[in-house]
Amino acid sequence: MTTEALLDLGALGDDFIRDPYPVYARLRARGPVHRVRIPEGAQAWLVVGYEAGRALLADQRLSKDWRRASPALGVRKVSVGTSMLGSDAPDHTRLRRLVTREFTPRRMERLAPRVQEMTDALLDSMTGGPGRSADLVQALSSPLPMAVICELLGVPSLDRQVFRAWSETAVSSLDAEARARATAAMTGYLAELVAEKRAAPGDDLMSALIHTSDDDGDQLSADELLGMAWLLLVAGHETTVNLISNGVLSLLTHPGQLAALRSDFGLIDNAVEETLRYEGPVETPTYRFTTEPLDVSGTVIPGGGELVLVAMADCDRDPARYPDADRFDITRDARGHVAFGHGIHYCLGAPLARIEARIAVRSLLERCPGLRLDTDPARLSWRTGMLIRGPQSLPVAW
């Protein structure tokens, strides 16, 4: 067992929110497992380093099922319904099989022309006014993924702004009551959406999921459809919002890399992968709970529903895996990063996120010569909590 004192990450304040990497690096130097209190208030076992983190992401002795959580943790489930994100095998296997029939990489790639149209329209609005500056989060990073996933699922366009507000509160707020209110509002909204799609199906993914079945006739239940709607609408856009913002911010604060990409847009896919590695949109994944004691490099994490968090942000900054890991380099081989997770819970929407980021970043740079950050990077305000990582706003000028 570790004997080190409990580290209160919330007490580290804005410095940790803005730049958690030095803290993770100091912990990694002492070992892979540390007892912490997370900013949301619960105590957890934080795992740092690439090898240990990657192994635990695929370790099915850690459960994603909230019923396995120890009541002593005092944590409250945020997501709604039953989804892959909160299920273990064999339930997870069944759900993923049903959803994968509709959510295929080929179907996602067919969306690319439509993603380009949406991106062009947003950039028209951003650059068409009298000014030559904007908040990129509000102008492009946020509305593009939201528009894509809402169109994919057939969500009315007029509801997107309010849904975005609920979503951001549910996954980032440190106020438990605010998270609960946002989750309740989203639950009611999504239940109505599923009911409407069941009554009047359209040519969209949610309608397809309602009617899809496997060879044995198995279908998603009402609760599973609700969970799937939550997973796609929240996870399906929150991560991509911050992937786009983090990618642009990383490029604008590394002018040599920005120049390299401008001179050869053949590097765009690699630039997206390096962004995922260097400044990925998910700092730690959704909660995992112990089902039995786990020995990680000599430290025993007790069983009984203890909360375990893998610092994916640190895994991908581990110099044992990536030489000069704190350097942003769009020409490096970033393969093997865990920004989309690892194991059975690897992100189903990874192909779509890559498509959106690739199109958004390239189109922005092509449309906005001289694009620059319109504030001191130290003045940026970052998302709170340890799930989603990205700036709350990103002032740019061109």
Side-chain angles (χ1 to χ4, degrees), residues 54-67:
R54 189 172 186 269
L56 286 186
L57 287 173
D59 194 326
Q60 295 189 51
R61 292 175 297 174
L62 289 173
S63 174
K64 301 282 279 186
D65 189 334
W66 278 79
R67 292 172 296 184

Side-chain angles (χ1 to χ4, degrees), residues 295-323:
D295 187 329
V296 182
S297 299
T299 296
V300 177
I301 303 176
E306 294 279 302
L307 173 58
V308 176
L309 288 178
V310 175
M312 299 195 304
D314 181 72
C315 293
D316 291 334
R317 292 280 193 107
D318 187 345
R321 175 63 180 83
Y322 296 101

Side-chain angles (χ1 to χ4, degrees), residues 124-139:
D124 285 345
S125 297
M126 187 181 94
T127 61
R132 288 292 178 265
S133 63
D135 172 7
L136 195 74
V137 173
Q138 294 300 320

Side-chain angles (χ1 to χ4, degrees), residues 110-390:
R110 288 202 303 267
L111 287 171
R114 182 63 181 130
V115 173
Q116 185 69 64
E117 289 178 8
M118 293 177 174
T119 301
D120 291 342
L122 289 168
L123 290 175
D124 285 345
S125 297
M126 187 181 94
T127 61
R132 288 292 178 265
S133 63
D135 172 7
L136 195 74
V137 173
Q138 294 300 320
L140 180 65
S141 303
S142 176
L144 176 63
M146 176 59 82
V148 171
I149 204 69
C150 285
E151 182 165 303
L152 188 65
L153 294 180
V155 178
S157 59
L158 293 179
D159 296 334
R160 294 176 188 177
Q161 271 309 105
V162 67
F163 196 94
R164 168 66 179 160
W166 289 336
S167 174
E168 187 166 337
T169 300
V171 301
S172 291
S173 176
L174 298 182
D175 184 335
E177 293 306 317
R179 293 199 306 270
R181 288 193 299 271
T183 301
M186 293 173 77
T187 301
Y189 177 85
L190 292 174
E192 289 185 15
L193 171 66
V194 171
E196 290 171 1
K197 293 295 177 184
R198 190 184 296 278
D203 184 23
D204 55 74
L205 180 60
M206 181 52 64
S207 297
L209 289 173
I210 288 171
H211 296 286
T212 192
S213 62
D214 65 13
D215 295 336
D216 297 324
D218 184 21
Q219 290 185 294
L220 296 171
S221 69
D223 189 61
E224 290 163 350
L225 285 165
L226 185 62
M228 197 63 219
W230 162 276
L231 178 60
L232 292 173
L233 276 165
V234 177
H237 89 271
E238 281 289 352
T239 50
T240 311
V241 170
N242 295 283
L243 172 56
I244 294 170
S245 294
N246 293 353
V248 173
L249 176 59
S250 297
L251 287 165
L252 295 184
T253 52
H254 295 82
Q257 299 300 306
L258 176 60
L261 181 57
R262 282 191 177 281
S263 65
D264 179 11
F265 278 114
L267 289 170
I268 187 62
D269 287 337
N270 224 57
V272 170
E273 295 308 305
E274 176 66 348
T275 297
L276 286 161
R277 183 204 69 82
Y278 176 81
E279 193 73 277
V282 181
E283 187 170 339
T284 63
T286 51
Y287 294 173
R288 284 168 163 79
F289 308 102
T290 58
T291 60
E292 61 182 79
L294 299 175
D295 187 329
V296 182
S297 299
T299 296
V300 177
I301 303 176
E306 294 279 302
L307 173 58
V308 176
L309 288 178
V310 175
M312 299 195 304
D314 181 72
C315 293
D316 291 334
R317 292 280 193 107
D318 187 345
R321 175 63 180 83
Y322 296 101
D324 202 6
D326 287 325
R327 180 169 57 89
F328 181 66
D329 178 4
I330 66 171
T331 67
R332 92 159 69 229
D333 184 354
R335 288 178 297 181
H337 67 71
V338 295
F340 287 123
H342 178 62
I344 67 170
H345 290 286
Y346 183 83
C347 179
L348 187 68
L352 181 57
R354 287 181 164 113
I355 291 167
E356 291 181 55
R358 178 185 76 212
I359 291 173
V361 173
R362 176 171 183 165
S363 299
L364 173 68
L365 295 181
E366 289 177 334
R367 291 280 297 272
C368 297
L371 186 74
R372 64 187 185 278
L373 194 60
D374 201 23
T375 187
D376 184 333
R379 295 177 63 86
L380 291 174
S381 178
W382 289 76
R383 299 280 293 270
T384 55
M386 290 180 66
L387 176 61
I388 298 295
R389 175 155 179 79

